[in-house]
Amino acid sequence: MTTATSDDWRPALAPAILLRRDRVRSTDLLVLPERVVVLSGRAGAIVRLCDGGHSVPQIVGELSACFPGAPVATDVPVFLDRLRAEGWLR
Amino acid sequence: MTTPAVPAGSGTSEPEVPRPWALLAELTHACPLHCPYCSNPLELKARSQELATGDWQDLMRQAGDFGVVHTHLSGGEPLLRPDLEEIVTAAESAGIYTQLVTSGTGLDQARLGALTAAGLRSVQLSVQHADPAASDRIAGRRSFAAKERAAALVRAAGLPLGLNVVLHRDNLDALDAIVELGLAWGVDRIELANAQFYGWGLLNRAALLPAHEQLAVARDAVDRWRTRLGGHPDLVWVVPDYFDGVAKPCMGGWGAVSLTVSPDGTVLPCPAAATLPGLDAPNIRDHTLEWIWDRSPAFNRYRGTAWMSDTCRSCSRRDEDFGGCRCQAFALTGDAARTDPACGLSPDHGLVRAFAREGGADGPLPYVYRYPGRAATGQPDREGVSRSGR
Ligand code: SF4
Ligand code: SF4
């Protein structure tokens, strides 16, 4: 189930899902009703921008500024689509 | 029984014994229902033995500091604790996601409102069958209507709702109707958990054990529904290990992912572990959570592979299923360190095969309903619903 990311999509976490900073393990987590998903690397920084206000191009823009040289423009939309397919982003 | 939260990866810089992710809080063993497969121990703790509000609040603080990120507030029926809201608040302030695991009895608008205000995040509701009369018979009490009301309230409050159904001989044939019920109630997730046979379930094994064909048909139905629903609601099928010849990775490993706290403060690696002789399970009234998890003999007893029999220690699956369930090994062989007899490689697998062949006797058999003190007599009840007045 792949949906092409459209420019006017403003991703937001599904209501049941929390983005949490795990102090003990020094990582970001998605906490769901029956699951915990560990967000490794920069995944937490990406999800933090999914506040329903930023469009995908805006998220890519902000991240490119923070992580110059990283393949943000190609990787981030794919990652966001994956999370939407899981039902975690809307 | 509930499924622990399973991490889909691993964090960095973890301490030596990886910290627990989830806490199953059995707030009370009291329950208005009398399910014959109840995962509570046969020796139900009396209300007078229960931890006080302050004990649970302190436990939640410790658990949050220690790395627990998720708790199932369960029982018995947790709504029977008048201080449930305070316990939810303590968990929430400790950074722990709270899910209420309830039979639905006693959940009205005011209570749900108070719990949501306290920070409750989601609800898991049990139902015994899609047919009201059959559900009431299995539960040993008229309760279906209350469950239906509870589901509607949770939906209206906008909380995620999971439906939990323990599957056995008397409801497997209704699998389609159960999924349809979940759809009608607007649930996000349906957990179809094949009955496990220890504790009350073992006492009622003859009545609960399905026929092989029943399982095969139900499994096909689940596959069909999954294709049709495309992931919403999420259908979770908890395998019937008696029939698959495959040991389940019980609790994600002993003392590896989650911990259970009994109503009296006993801390266990799994809810059924209270039955293991000589376990000497620690109590949160006497020790810190850190000591219990890292150092207590009980939590270290079946960690790693040193304790395993040769069958498991030499097996390539030992790090995937951890040798199966210790409580089942003990219940069937008398030795908790043996390979789980559910595994086809176990020298004791014949025991499970023999039971599985007995499955699906003609006509419904009477249950030994869950009541305090009932296990000692082991006398089956005639009809559940007629007893429900007591
Ligand atoms: S399984 Fe049934 S009897 Fe046991 S706690 Fe749950 S609702 Fe109560
Ligand atoms: S022998 Fe032990 S480790 Fe191997 S599959 Fe069976 S239970 Fe698992």
Side-chain angles (χ1 to χ4, degrees), chain B residues 170-389:
Chain B
D170 292 343
N171 64 8
L172 266 164
D173 297 341
L175 196 118
D176 285 328
I178 289 169
V179 176
E180 280 158 11
L181 183 80
L183 294 175
W185 288 4
V187 305
D188 301 294
R189 180 176 190 274
I190 305 176
E191 182 172 316
L192 302 160
N194 283 281
Q196 318 240 352
F197 299 110
Y198 27 73
W200 295 94
L202 187 57
L203 208 57
N204 283 292
R205 186 171 58 195
L208 297 173
L209 208 57
H212 225 289
E213 310 78 68
Q214 276 187 294
L215 272 171
V217 171
R219 203 189 305 252
D220 285 350
V222 171
D223 285 343
R224 250 185 297 111
W225 278 108
R226 277 198 180 133
T227 313
R228 188 166 142 195
L229 298 173
H232 198 91
D234 196 11
L235 289 196
V236 181
W237 170 258
V238 181
V239 299
D241 60 353
Y242 261 44
F243 292 85
D244 284 0
V246 176
K248 60 177 182 288
C250 194
M251 304 306 289
W254 182 270
V257 177
S258 74
L259 53 101
T260 297
V261 180
S262 303
D264 69 342
T266 307
V267 188
L268 295 163
C270 110
T275 56
L276 300 181
L279 185 66
D280 195 18
N283 194 294
I284 197 65
R285 297 189 218 242
D286 308 326
H287 301 282
T288 62
L289 192 60
E290 180 172 7
W291 182 88
I292 290 173
W293 184 263
D294 286 344
R295 309 219 175 279
S296 73
F299 273 79
N300 282 297
R301 186 144 147 190
Y302 303 112
R303 277 190 176 133
T305 53
W307 59 272
M308 286 181 173
S309 68
D310 287 340
T311 315
C312 289
R313 207 178 316 117
S314 60
C315 175
S316 64
R317 287 184 44 80
R318 65 180 193 183
D319 297 319
E320 287 158 51
D321 66 22
F322 320 104
C325 172
R326 297 305 90 226
C327 304
Q328 184 149 277
F330 171 70
L332 298 184
T333 73
D335 177 0
R338 283 180 80 79
T339 296
D340 184 342
C343 173
L345 302 174
S346 154
D348 307 307
H349 187 55
L351 291 170
V352 163
R353 293 284 299 271
F355 296 136
R357 270 196 302 274
E358 284 167 18
D362 290 334
L365 296 177
Y367 300 138
V368 181
Y369 282 104
R370 186 205 103 129
Y371 279 95
R374 170 61 54 79
T377 71
Q379 287 304 308
D381 293 84
R382 293 248 166 271
E383 262 312 310
V385 176
S386 60
R387 309 187 54 97
S388 63

